[in-house]
């Protein structure tokens, strides 16, 4: 998964520990190199072999939660493309969340660095801060987390190797987890292989892609990308016509701008096989329900996206064949190698 650079030339100094973590590069699919700008790696948190290893251990360790019952992986299971398949996630003591767990992959290409369904987190590191203290999730306090790790038999040495002789604190914890999360790259689906000339699409899959790209049929590409955007999301926020009135303001609750009410982040279409249910509130259990929403289920509201051009008709009114074929195309974005990658599994 990861390729090391020369440690003698690229290491960050971690004095006074005397140990120099090895800078590593993300293993970026050639298609990403050809179609996308370089991934975002913070200058104050470079990817290192030791940092990623530490971040992976923390990601799977329930020591972060108040009662040591759940870890990051509880809501972001690698086998489920780092989701949990619940309508909304559950925290410690049976606490129930308010949103569907977002999948985690290709996060280093989120150039606006707005994370979460409502865009409230302005970097990957800042996103990691939130679930540890959220009372609906891990319900812990950072001082307690740092104390547990400092008194653990393994973590002090792992932090020294990753960051030098420094006291363990929340900043180093979120840096390590963010480093691990940036390694989660999905780019080897059937459609990726098709673009590389390795496989062919079925007639149904090819028609589904054409309908996906056709403004008079599926009209999906404005928000979800194309063969020229292997992320399959624009990483923007849209009101996609789920509700006429809002019980969850989404981005609007973050910005305070009524024009943002009802807007949520466009999720990637990769790995939908593993990530049901769908939408920010998990209201749709199947892809058929999602496709029917855009075909004839749109609801108008003052902030409806202008891309929902046929909202007055309820949607784009797809034929049953186009619906079935769009689903067939969407399933070509399934990357089984990603969910089985041993680098991403429980240590």
């Amino acid at each position: 998964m990861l390729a090391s650079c020369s440690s003698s030339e690229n290491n960050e100094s971690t004095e006074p520990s005397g140990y120099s973590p090895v800078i590593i590069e993300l293993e970026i699919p050639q298609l990403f190199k050809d179609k996308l700008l370089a991934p975002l790696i913070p200058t104050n948190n470079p990817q290192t072999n030791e940092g990623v290893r530490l971040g992976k251990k923390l990601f799977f360790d329930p020591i972060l939660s108040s009662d040591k019952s759940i870890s990051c992986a509880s809501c972001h299971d690698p086998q489920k493309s780092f989701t949990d398949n619940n309508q909304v996630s559950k925290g410690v003591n049976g606490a129930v969340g308010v949103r569907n767990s977002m999948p985690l992959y290709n996060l280093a290409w989120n150039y606006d660095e707005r994370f979460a369904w409502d865009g409230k987190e302005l970097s990957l590191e800042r996103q990691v801060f939130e679930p540890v203290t959220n009372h609906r999730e891990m319900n812990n306090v950072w001082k307690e987390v740092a104390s547990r790790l400092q008194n653990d038999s393994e973590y002090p040495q792992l932090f020294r190797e990753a960051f030098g002789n420094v006291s363990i604190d929340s900043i180093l914890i979120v840096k390590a987890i963010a480093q691990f999360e940036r390694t989660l790259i999905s780019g080897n689906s059937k459609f990726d292989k098709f673009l590389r000339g390795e496989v062919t699409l079925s007639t149904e899959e090819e028609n589904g892609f054409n309908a996906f790209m056709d403004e008079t049929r599926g009209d999906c590409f404005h928000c979800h990308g194309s063969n020229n955007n292997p992320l399959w999301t624009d990483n923007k926020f849209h009101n996609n016509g789920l509700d006429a009135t809002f019980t969850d303001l989404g981005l609007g609750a973050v910005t305070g701008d009524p024009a943002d009410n009802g807007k949520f982040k466009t999720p990637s279409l990769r790995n939908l096989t593993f990530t049901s249910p769908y939408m920010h509130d998990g209201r749709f259990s199947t892809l058929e329900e999602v496709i029917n929403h855009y075909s004839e289920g749109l609801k108008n509201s003052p902030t409806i996206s202008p891309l929902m051009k046929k909202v007055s008709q309820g949607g784009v009114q797809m034929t049953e064949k186009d619906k079935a074929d769009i689903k067939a195309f969407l399933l070509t974005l399934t990357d089984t190698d990603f969910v089985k990658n041993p680098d991403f599994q429980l240590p």
Side-chain angles (χ1 to χ4, degrees):
M1 178 59 207
L2 301 168
S4 297
C5 295
S6 168
S7 59
S8 62
E9 296 177 356
N10 298 288
N11 285 352
E12 283 268 303
S13 171
T14 59
E15 293 297 334
S17 72
Y19 188 90
S20 298
V22 179
I23 297 287
I24 55 177
E25 294 180 347
L26 297 175
E27 189 171 282
I28 302 173
Q30 186 60 48
L31 191 63
F32 285 37
K33 293 180 179 178
D34 293 341
K35 304 290 187 181
L36 302 173
L37 299 174
L40 292 177
I41 308 294
T43 56
N44 67 349
N45 191 27
Q47 297 288 117
T48 70
N49 191 36
E50 292 77 5
V52 171
R53 182 179 61 190
L54 172 59
K56 179 180 177 181
K57 181 175 175 61
L58 289 165
F59 187 89
F60 287 95
D61 198 335
I63 197 172
L64 301 183
S65 59
S66 59
D67 62 358
K68 302 182 181 178
S69 64
I70 64 171
S71 68
C72 303
S74 299
C75 298
H76 299 284
D77 182 345
Q79 300 294 318
K80 300 168 184 172
S81 197
F82 291 89
T83 63
D84 62 8
N85 291 156
N86 294 318
Q87 182 172 3
V88 295
S89 297
K90 297 178 180 178
V92 299
N93 301 318
V96 178
V98 296
R99 302 250 175 81
N100 183 249
S101 174
M102 294 199 81
L104 304 178
Y105 51 78
N106 303 336
L107 302 172
W109 286 270
N110 184 355
Y111 299 113
D112 290 339
E113 293 205 90
R114 276 194 176 274
F115 292 88
W117 282 108
D118 57 8
K120 64 183 175 183
E121 310 296 350
L122 300 181
S123 75
L124 192 53
E125 281 75 7
R126 288 180 61 172
Q127 188 282 322
V128 179
F129 273 112
E130 202 266 345
V132 172
T133 57
N134 188 316
H135 72 282
R136 296 179 183 271
E137 300 185 49
M138 294 182 175
N139 192 35
N140 212 338
V141 293
W142 279 109
K143 185 177 181 180
E144 170 63 18
V145 174
S147 176
R148 289 180 185 179
L149 297 176
Q150 196 71 60
N151 291 302
D152 184 82
S153 62
E154 298 180 55
Y155 277 112
Q157 178 62 25
L158 295 175
F159 273 90
R160 277 193 291 275
E161 293 175 357
F163 298 110
N165 276 339
V166 292
S167 297
I168 297 174
D169 64 15
S170 59
I171 293 175
L172 298 183
I173 296 167
V174 302
K175 280 186 172 183
I177 294 175
Q179 285 189 41
F180 170 63
E181 290 182 335
R182 288 192 175 92
T183 69
L184 306 178
I185 298 173
S186 174
N188 197 34
S189 67
K190 179 179 181 179
F191 197 80
D192 297 313
K193 296 173 183 176
F194 166 71
L195 293 177
R196 299 199 299 261
E198 299 170 7
V199 299
T200 58
L201 300 181
S202 69
T203 301
E204 291 78 14
E205 292 164 347
E206 186 171 355
N207 180 60
F209 174 65
N210 291 333
F212 180 95
M213 296 294 296
D214 190 334
E215 288 186 296
T216 66
R217 297 162 72 190
D219 193 18
C220 314
F221 68 96
H222 292 290
C223 300
H224 286 292
S226 68
N227 52 318
N228 288 314
N229 175 8
L231 300 179
W232 297 102
T233 171
D234 61 1
N235 277 319
K236 304 294 185 185
F237 297 81
H238 304 279
N239 173 357
N240 62 341
L242 290 172
D243 298 299
T245 59
F246 310 119
T247 56
D248 185 341
L249 296 182
L251 181 65
V254 176
T255 65
D257 184 348
D260 290 332
N261 287 349
K263 294 182 179 179
F264 293 90
K265 187 173 183 181
T266 307
S268 171
L269 298 179
R270 285 185 178 272
N271 302 320
L272 295 173
T273 296
F274 309 113
T275 63
S276 66
Y278 308 104
M279 303 296 169
H280 67 279
D281 54 5
R283 71 176 64 189
F284 296 138
S285 299
T286 67
L287 288 178
E288 285 83 356
E289 291 178 68
V290 175
I291 293 169
N292 285 337
H293 164 71
Y294 290 109
S295 179
E296 56 259 353
L298 296 182
K299 296 179 177 63
N300 207 349
S301 65
T303 62
I304 188 77
S305 169
L307 296 172
M308 304 292 119
K309 295 186 288 288
K310 296 186 178 179
V311 64
S312 62
Q313 303 171 36
V316 290
Q317 304 293 320
M318 284 180 262
T319 66
E320 292 305 311
K321 175 167 176 50
D322 277 352
K323 289 181 181 180
D325 289 353
I326 284 177
K327 178 183 176 183
F329 157 67
L330 292 175
L331 294 180
T332 70
L333 300 174
T334 302
D335 182 357
T336 303
D337 292 342
F338 173 69
V339 299
K340 293 183 177 179
N341 190 329
D343 289 337
F344 305 152
Q345 309 302 316
L346 181 67

